[in-house]
Amino acid sequence: MKKIGILTGGGDCPGLNAVIRAVVKKSLKYHWEVIGILDGWKGLIEGNILPLTAQHISGILPKGGTILGTSRTNPFKDQKNVDAVLSNMKKFKIDALIVIGGEDTLGVALKLYKLGVPVIGVPKTIDNDISGTDYTFGFDTAVSIVTDAIDRLHTTAESHHRIMVLEVMGRHAGWIATVSGIAGGADEILIPEIPFHIEDVCKNLKARHDSGKRFSIVVASEGAKPSDIDHFETLSEEKDEFGHVRLGGIGQRLAKEIEKRLGVETRFTVLGHVQRGGSPTAYDRVLATRYGVVAVELVKDGHFGKMVALRGYKIVPVDLTESVTKLRTVDMDLYNIATTFFAKPHNE
Ligand code: F6P
């Protein structure tokens, strides 16, 4: 009989509960116990746990968020917190730890693995920016929310003959902007991977309007940055425990500039945390469920220091090192597909 610990860390996303449910269900088949750790690494530092039974997971598959709670706590900010994590692993007799998180949370998991903690990682984030896997769960849901928003902005943009700027999440990688921009038919997509000139964006929009179109949709990742400015637009400079500031404001800045330069009425919308809330799509439920089941299988086989990953249609184990050392940025072939639909001035 084994005791598995499970935690969810970092920003929440739809599908976390589907993983928790799958881990508990699969573990119960082996007659193993599952200990839920509350609020990410904070719970393991403070010894805050919730033993999970079949009752806890009943009905949670379609529920957004995480029944375990989450936090952006980084135990490695203070050695005494690392010691607390190690001692609570012993105190609760946890044989294996399943860690569901993004780059930061999985980075902590890797460091703990190197200290001898048996960990398995599960990649989550709406940003889809974790290396080693084709997709993280949560991304598909975010893309469908953003696509719906673009569709809605289209009708009001058309009626008022306006330019609409939509700011979406994506700190270092523009996956959400690119994929939902393609799905929603955006006329310009700005992503962190490609610094842009506002002048070029305006030229493209002007070309579109000169061709007779009376509205446009611009989708911008929160981390998109004009090349002539050396800082990101932020809502707060205060850093979290992993050193991240709160991004935000590029949509407003762009809208102001576009209106000033083109003389076309322009509005901006910031989707913010709406993108991370609510029920996961069927795709995310299935992906999260597969991740959860395979994570338990890896525990059974003693394959620690791994992350479950989607490669093609298969779920496979990859080294945690591979997943946290490099960020997965937008595939330029995909971005180039999106640019096919941007208007260009005649001479370009
Ligand atoms: O990491 C996922 C993410 O959604 C980023 O895209 C975004 O910058 C950040 O989380 C927002 O975090 P918070 O919920 O702490 O405001």
Side-chain angles (χ1 to χ4, degrees), residues 140-162:
D140 185 67
T141 308
V143 165
S144 55
I145 293 167
V146 175
T147 304
D148 178 64
I150 297 173
D151 290 349
R152 288 169 193 280
L153 289 173
H154 252 115
T155 60
T156 170
E158 257 182 290
S159 310
H160 287 265
H161 320 300
R162 284 174 174 159

Side-chain angles (χ1 to χ4, degrees), residues 11-12 72 124-127 129 169-171 176 222 240 245-247 273 276:
D12 71 338
R72 293 198 186 273
K124 72 88 227 186
T125 167
I126 63 163
D127 291 355
D129 59 359
M169 282 189 174
R171 209 194 290 261
I176 296 177
E222 60 186 350
D240 68 17
V245 294
R246 278 184 66 203
L247 295 181
H273 292 80
R276 281 208 332 231

